[in-house]
């Protein structure tokens, strides 16, 4: 059997989009499930749309998501771009001679022709077609030029392109892994430009040549490419090459059913990475945008996705990118990771926020911080926001906040003073969440104090906030000395 080979061929025109991550993920899952290869090729033939740094971002995004390519463009051990594999180069601008050779073959076979039409003529043609409510497209003007005429123009260096000589009759059909039987009438398909004036191929020619030479067995890509596929199939037939299997994946849309785009919020993989979404959550969420396992299970590791994935369960309809659901996945994954691991992931976010380095490196303190912060966090960045008060040298808050409901400040002061004295008698070993809680609750009961009368001012003195985790949790993270210091500062505020 032929080896399964899939590819992701993004154009380096900006940050790697979550829609491309969906294609890449399905490429990866399918390849891994079938013991195949997953390739990354860079399609940089549209020179006007190139954005510097995009290729690095594509590779970084795939590595971040733990789905690095087996072949093609990737990073070496120093995180520098490199190309691996025997079917390279894997960057289209480095393959121009190859495309030229195949364009000549098509010209010779009369499956392609030179076109010398000027931009003005093409603009006028389009306007006319639009005015007459006709489908827009090339009218075949240069298709009938005589060989001599063509040669004369070429000799005179007239600017030209090469166009596909699309058959006017018949239909082009294929069996799509997602959309079953798809068919297009050939007469509705344009004589697509294959080679541009600048000598660069267009996407259509380059993608076919490369997928063939790189022995790609399966082409998975977004639904927006559906109407390009008949052009590609016709080209495969003209070259006499075996066609890959196609699968057109659902489009990603926002809640208003608009195509997911930069104008409407975060759409690049790095937008989410930088906000503190975990790659495990992102991949799990993105997989479920286009697919479902047909069971109740929602949390999947990458390995589990590889096992469970099949094209029968890929959706046809557009997938709504629901940011709340992504938050849910991230929360679940933050719970699933060990505190040690989560602390490692969260560390750069604390560092970027300027948290005290020594405190971040104090492992027992920092893991406590992360454990506390994770409870109400959707992202790693939320963990930082939720726990800033644990790093502060001193807290600033309104004194009034120390007052519990119907109680008053003198009472809060009294309770804080007594509790502080009690806490100061604790041995180091007793300073655990359970230990403090049991002792303090017993102490409150013995004195028949109201729980809120004691715990509210204590919690506020410890956190400086109206809402925060409970006082015992905070005391555990802060440790005895710092907790007593904060309670003391609360007391001092009331005086
Ligand atoms: N270069 C195209 C893109 O930017 C590739 C489409 C395909 O997968 O064929 O998405």
């Amino acid at each position: 059997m032929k080896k399964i080979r899939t590819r992701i061929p993004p154009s380096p025109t900006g940050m790697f989009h979550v829609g491309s991550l969906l294609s890449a993920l399905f490429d990866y899952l399918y390849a891994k499930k079938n013991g195949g290869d997953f390739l990354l090729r860079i399609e940089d033939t549209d020179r006007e749309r190139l954005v510097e740094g995009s290729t690095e971002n594509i590779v970084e995004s795939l590595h971040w998501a733990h789905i690095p390519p087996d072949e093609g463009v990737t990073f070496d051990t120093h995180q520098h771009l490199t190309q691996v594999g025997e079917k390279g180069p894997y960057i289209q601008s480095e393959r121009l001679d190859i495309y030229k050779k195949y364009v000549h073959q098509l010209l010779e076979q009369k499956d392609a022709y030179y076109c010398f039409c000027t931009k003005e003529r093409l603009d006028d043609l389009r306007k006319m077609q639009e005015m007459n409510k006709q489908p827009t497209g090339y009218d075949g003007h240069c298709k009938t030029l005589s060989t001599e005429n063509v040669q004369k123009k070429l000799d005179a260096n007239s600017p030209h392109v090469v166009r596909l000589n699309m058959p006017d009759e018949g239909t082009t059909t294929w069996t799509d892994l997602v959309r079953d039987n798809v068919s297009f009438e050939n007469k509705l398909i344009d004589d697509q430009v294959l080679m541009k004036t600048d000598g660069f191929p267009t996407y259509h020619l380059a993608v076919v040549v490369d997928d063939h030479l790189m022995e790609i067995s399966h082409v998975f890509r977004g639904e927006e490419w559906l109407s390009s596929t008949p052009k590609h199939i016709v080209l495969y037939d003209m070259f006499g090459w075996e066609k890959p299997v196609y699968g057109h994946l659902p489009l990603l849309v926002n809640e208003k059913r608009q195509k997911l785009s930069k104008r409407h919020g975060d759409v690049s993989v790095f937008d989410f990475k930088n906000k503190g979404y975990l790659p495990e959550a992102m991949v799990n969420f993105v997989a479920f945008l286009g697919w479902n396992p047909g069971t109740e299970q929602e949390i999947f590791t990458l390995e589990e996705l590889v096992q469970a994935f099949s094209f029968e369960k890929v959706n046809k309809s557009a997938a709504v990118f629901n940011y709340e659901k992504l938050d849910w996945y991230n929360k679940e994954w933050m719970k699933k990771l060990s505190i040690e691991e989560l602390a490692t992931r969260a560390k750069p976010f604390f560092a970027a926020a300027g948290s005290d380095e020594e405190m971040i490196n104090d492992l027992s303190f920092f893991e406590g911080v992360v454990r506390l912060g994770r409870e109400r966090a959707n992202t790693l960045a939320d963990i930082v926001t939720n726990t800033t008060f644990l790093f502060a040298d001193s807290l600033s808050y309104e004194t009034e906040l120390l007052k519990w409901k119907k109680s008053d400040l003198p009472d809060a002061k009294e309770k804080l003073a007594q509790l502080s004295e009690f806490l100061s008698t604790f041995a180091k070993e007793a300073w655990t969440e359970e230990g403090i809680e049991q002792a303090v609750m017993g102490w409150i009961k013995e004195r028949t104090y109201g729980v809120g009368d004691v715990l509210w001012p204590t919690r506020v003195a410890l956190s400086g906030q109206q809402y925060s985790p409970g006082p015992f949790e905070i005391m555990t993270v802060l440790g005895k000395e710092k907790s007593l210091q904060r309670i003391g500062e609360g007391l001092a505020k009331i005086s």
Side-chain angles (χ1 to χ4, degrees):
M1 218 185 83
K2 225 174 103 179
K3 184 150 198 201
I4 302 289
R5 284 169 62 86
T6 62
R7 87 307 190 254
I8 180 79
S11 300
T13 54
M15 303 278 275
F16 194 61
H17 191 277
V18 284
S20 304
L21 181 65
L22 179 103
S23 299
L25 179 61
F26 287 16
D27 285 321
Y28 176 90
L29 296 177
Y30 194 78
K32 294 299 140 189
K33 181 153 191 172
N34 295 292
D37 303 323
F38 166 52
L39 280 77
L40 170 62
R41 180 173 70 230
I42 296 296
E43 301 207 329
D44 59 346
T45 58
D46 190 346
R47 309 304 290 172
E48 276 157 29
R49 293 178 58 227
L50 298 186
V51 174
E52 213 185 314
S54 310
T55 300
E56 285 81 353
N57 182 258
I58 292 163
V59 178
E60 262 186 277
S61 298
L62 292 176
H63 278 259
W64 176 76
H66 303 301
I67 54 169
D70 303 304
E71 190 175 318
V73 183
T74 187
F75 279 146
D76 62 16
T77 45
H78 304 286
Q79 298 270 98
H80 293 138
L81 286 180
T82 179
Q83 299 188 40
V84 295
E86 280 156 19
K87 312 244 177 266
Y90 296 90
I91 299 178
Q92 288 188 329
S93 58
E94 297 172 15
R95 300 171 62 79
L96 299 185
D97 288 342
I98 302 175
Y99 307 125
K100 277 200 184 106
K101 176 178 145 207
Y102 286 103
V103 165
H104 278 110
Q105 182 183 334
L106 291 175
L107 283 164
E108 246 151 60
Q109 293 174 196
K110 303 257 184 281
D111 284 325
Y113 60 90
Y114 288 105
C115 170
F116 302 91
C117 289
T118 59
K119 187 177 173 301
E120 290 68 37
R121 178 173 188 276
L122 296 175
D123 286 346
D124 288 347
L125 175 66
R126 170 183 286 272
K127 273 187 216 139
M128 284 288 283
Q129 288 168 332
E130 278 168 0
M131 242 164 57
N132 297 330
K133 305 232 168 351
Q134 288 169 331
T136 54
Y138 188 61
D139 61 355
H141 181 76
C142 290
K143 200 156 133 172
T144 49
L145 290 179
S146 69
T147 320
E148 298 77 53
N149 205 346
V150 168
Q151 196 53 54
K152 236 178 19 213
K153 286 179 190 286
L154 289 177
D155 291 343
N157 279 333
S158 302
H160 59 269
V161 300
V162 176
R163 285 184 185 273
L164 171 67
N165 188 359
M166 187 67 201
D168 297 323
E169 280 159 18
T171 52
T172 298
T173 56
W174 75 94
T175 306
D176 195 278
L177 273 192
V178 183
R179 271 145 234 282
D180 305 325
N181 295 325
V182 187
S183 105
F184 281 84
E185 273 191 70
N186 289 344
K187 67 167 188 272
L188 298 178
I189 302 169
D190 207 8
D191 281 359
Q192 184 70 52
V193 173
L194 299 177
M195 180 80 78
K196 296 176 283 186
T197 329
D198 62 4
F200 274 80
T202 57
Y203 157 68
H204 304 283
L205 177 77
V207 81
V208 167
V209 169
D210 289 349
D211 283 343
H212 169 71
L213 294 178
M214 293 176 191
E215 294 177 16
I216 299 302
S217 63
H218 289 71
V219 168
F220 306 133
R221 57 185 171 213
E223 198 195 335
E224 68 268 35
W225 300 102
L226 199 66
S227 63
S228 299
T229 302
K231 298 172 192 171
H232 303 173
I233 290 183
V234 163
L235 281 167
Y236 274 98
D237 286 339
M238 288 169 168
F239 285 121
W241 293 338
E242 192 186 334
K243 292 176 270 281
V245 176
Y246 288 98
H248 288 83
L249 306 171
L251 215 61
L252 297 190
V253 294
N254 63 20
E255 251 114 52
K256 292 185 192 137
R257 302 241 140 220
Q258 295 156 323
K259 196 177 160 189
L260 212 61
S261 87
K262 247 197 299 229
R263 266 171 298 139
H264 304 119
D266 294 326
V267 289
S268 82
V269 172
F270 262 48
D271 286 336
F272 295 102
K273 170 186 181 276
N274 294 340
K275 284 213 165 135
Y277 288 91
L278 301 172
E280 290 88 344
M282 200 69 208
V283 158
N284 195 160
F285 166 74
V286 166
F288 271 70
L289 284 175
W291 164 91
N292 72 77
T295 64
E296 296 286 291
Q297 186 182 347
E298 286 193 275
I299 299 296
F300 279 79
T301 62
L302 189 59
E303 292 70 33
E304 288 169 331
L305 286 174
V306 169
Q307 291 312 316
F309 184 74
S310 88
F311 264 94
E312 276 122 61
K313 299 226 156 61
V314 171
N315 311 327
K316 285 189 187 52
S317 49
V320 179
F321 195 96
N322 180 332
Y323 291 86
E324 276 159 33
K325 191 70 195 186
L326 173 59
D327 282 347
W328 179 84
Y329 273 108
N330 209 51
K331 238 179 144 68
E332 290 299 310
W333 269 101
M334 290 203 303
K335 275 190 240 160
K336 211 170 134 81
L337 294 188
S338 69
I339 280 297
E340 251 179 327
E341 178 61 24
L342 191 62
T344 310
R345 310 273 189 108
K347 213 169 177 176
F349 286 81
F350 279 92
S355 306
D356 186 88
E357 219 183 296
E358 221 173 286
M359 292 171 97
I360 302 177
N361 289 330
D362 174 351
L363 213 61
S364 83
F365 168 75
F366 187 58
E367 288 182 5
V369 167
V370 170
R371 185 177 290 115
L372 246 195
R374 146 168 97 172
E375 283 169 30
R376 289 167 190 76
N378 289 330
T379 62
L380 296 173
D382 288 348
I383 298 183
V384 180
T385 328
N386 290 350
T387 57
T388 341
F389 72 94
L390 294 168
F391 288 83
D393 281 337
S394 66
L395 301 172
S396 82
Y397 55 92
E398 295 292 324
T399 311
E400 280 294 303
L401 200 57
L402 289 161
K403 200 179 87 183
W404 165 246
K405 288 193 179 163
K406 290 199 185 91
S407 188
D408 51 31
L409 284 174
D411 184 61
K413 185 177 174 185
E414 182 58 37
K415 299 282 156 38
L416 284 178
Q418 287 185 23
L419 183 69
S420 169
E421 220 181 288
F422 175 58
L423 289 172
S424 64
T425 65
F426 274 54
K428 209 171 171 221
E429 315 80 64
W431 200 268
T432 62
E433 192 177 327
E434 253 172 57
I436 309 169
E437 178 162 2
Q438 263 180 23
V440 171
M441 292 313 277
W443 180 87
I444 292 174
K445 211 167 158 197
E446 222 170 83
R447 282 164 181 70
T448 61
Y449 289 159
V451 174
D453 290 331
V454 178
L455 294 192
W456 177 271
T458 308
R459 193 189 56 70
V460 170
L462 291 165
S463 70
Q465 292 174 347
Q466 175 140 27
Y467 307 104
S468 75
F472 307 121
E473 291 171 274
I474 304 177
M475 282 195 261
T476 320
V477 178
L478 287 180
K480 183 172 165 183
E481 193 186 329
K482 197 133 195 199
S483 300
L484 286 174
Q485 181 199 324
R486 288 196 176 182
I487 294 173
E489 281 162 6
L491 266 171
K493 265 173 110 77
I494 302 176
S495 315

